[in-house]
Amino acid sequence: MGQNMIFDTHAHYDDEAFDEDREELLWKMKEQGVEFIVNVGASIASTKKTIELVQRYPFLYGAVGIHPSETEELKEEDMLWLKKASVQKDIVAIGEIGLDYYWPEPDREIQKKWFIRQLALASEVKLPVIIHSRDAAEDTLEILKEWDKDKTGGVIHCFSYSKEIAREYLSMGYYFGIGGVLTFKNARKLVEAVEIIPMEKILLETDCPYLAPEPYRGKRNQSGYIDFVAEKLAKLKGITKEEVLRITSDNAKNFYHLK
Ligand code: NI
């Protein structure tokens, strides 16, 4: 796999699942063909760890933000802190932010409030956003339509909706984060959506340690496994895996403004 150029656009190497061997694993990424990684914050604590990781590894960039499930206790002063974090070197996005109605808490109004607030922050600091949206398609679209005039670009991470919803996001210029789920046997809905999404709008991601692709489903995920997602995507699009990796890597560099 040496010459592949994997760009993992969404990872959580701050997660305790990597406490045992984080150093070793990350320093060996190049050997697996992994060129760049964006580590994504999901809480104040994981955003702090993200900043530490970004300072330590030259191939690693960071996103700072609060996941909808972590918004219960948020305060406006946390947004000041987040703003300062967002202007640090090699911080390339605000995320992950959004709505998660799979879980009953926090209350939907609280989630919406902080989603909207962090979108405003992204506009202020001119960074693209990484959006987490689960069982919340309508409200997410409504909020993003509201944000449209101030938008700074965004990716719908771990896209899990229908091809009809995909068309809506496409018309608004969004990218789609595609990962291990694409390789699952029950991925029919995602396969249908991916068939109508142009290659230029796809970013590859792990969401590691979660969502490892086949044949590692259920195990700890890591950026090298994106190779299996690229292979499946190549089959669906009728192009080579090398083309998939090249195009999606270019997409990621454009999306995160890395040149
Ligand atoms: Ni994530």
Side-chain angles (χ1 to χ4, degrees):
M1 297 200 286
Q3 69 279 51
N4 295 342
M5 308 226 307
I6 290 170
F7 194 133
D8 184 356
T9 63
H10 189 123
H12 300 283
Y13 283 106
D14 54 278
D15 193 281
E16 61 183 14
F18 296 107
D19 281 355
E20 229 170 68
D21 59 349
R22 183 177 293 108
E23 281 274 322
E24 200 192 347
L25 186 67
L26 283 172
W27 285 123
K28 282 185 174 168
M29 279 297 158
K30 276 258 149 67
E31 291 172 27
Q32 300 188 81
V34 179
E35 195 180 19
F36 295 111
I37 298 168
V38 173
N39 202 77
V40 179
S43 62
I44 298 281
S46 68
T47 292
K48 279 181 188 161
K49 285 188 194 160
T50 294
I51 291 167
E52 286 169 21
L53 290 173
V54 163
Q55 288 165 350
R56 190 169 180 83
Y57 302 95
F59 51 87
L60 203 141
Y61 294 88
V64 301
I66 314 297
H67 184 286
S69 301
E70 304 284 339
T71 52
E72 188 80 63
E73 311 274 305
L74 270 186
K75 296 188 180 57
E76 181 56 29
E77 62 228 49
D78 295 322
M79 294 298 110
L80 279 176
W81 181 83
L82 204 57
K83 186 178 174 182
K84 279 184 194 142
S86 73
V87 296
Q88 295 210 31
K89 188 171 173 281
D90 294 336
I91 298 302
V92 293
I94 300 294
E96 56 191 291
I97 62 174
L99 302 173
D100 193 324
Y101 294 171
Y102 178 81
W103 305 105
E105 288 182 344
D107 186 87
R108 291 181 180 190
E109 292 309 312
I110 294 176
Q111 295 190 35
K112 283 193 218 172
K113 175 187 165 180
W114 293 109
F115 182 27
I116 293 166
R117 180 65 186 86
Q118 292 182 91
L119 288 171
L121 172 65
S123 303
E124 213 181 316
V125 297
K126 299 187 171 59
L127 287 176
V129 294
I130 300 168
I131 295 165
H132 171 105
S133 177
R134 190 179 186 193
D135 296 345
E138 269 182 43
D139 284 0
T140 305
L141 268 172
E142 196 183 306
I143 287 171
L144 290 179
K145 279 176 184 163
E146 199 68 32
W147 186 56
D148 208 53
K149 59 186 184 315
D150 302 316
K151 78 173 171 210
T152 49
V155 58
I156 313 300
H157 141 67
C158 194
F159 183 77
S160 60
Y161 297 130
S162 65
K163 64 178 182 208
E164 288 76 22
I165 303 276
R167 282 203 182 92
E168 296 240 28
Y169 284 124
L170 270 178
S171 72
M172 294 165 76
Y174 283 88
Y175 285 82
F176 296 78
I178 304 295
V181 176
L182 189 67
T183 68
F184 295 175
K185 285 192 178 70
N186 54 353
R188 190 182 56 85
K189 192 172 82 165
L190 180 60
V191 165
E192 277 179 18
V194 162
E195 278 167 352
I196 67 141
I197 301 172
M199 275 308 298
E200 286 63 37
K201 285 295 177 187
I202 293 177
L203 303 181
L204 296 183
E205 61 174 34
T206 53
D207 205 20
C208 65
Y210 310 106
L211 297 173
E214 294 288 359
Y216 296 109
R217 188 173 181 178
K219 305 255 165 56
R220 185 184 74 171
N221 201 1
Q222 54 106 337
S223 305
Y225 294 173
I226 278 187
D227 209 62
F228 298 101
V229 181
E231 202 169 295
K232 179 70 185 284
L233 189 55
K235 271 189 197 133
L236 290 173
K237 293 292 190 185
I239 57 178
T240 66
K241 186 177 76 180
E242 287 65 32
E243 283 175 296
V244 165
L245 291 174
R246 182 181 52 76
I247 295 167
T248 53
S249 178
D250 283 348
N251 295 347
K253 288 170 192 166
N254 286 332
F255 176 71
Y256 287 123
H257 306 299
L258 308 173
K259 274 295 165 204

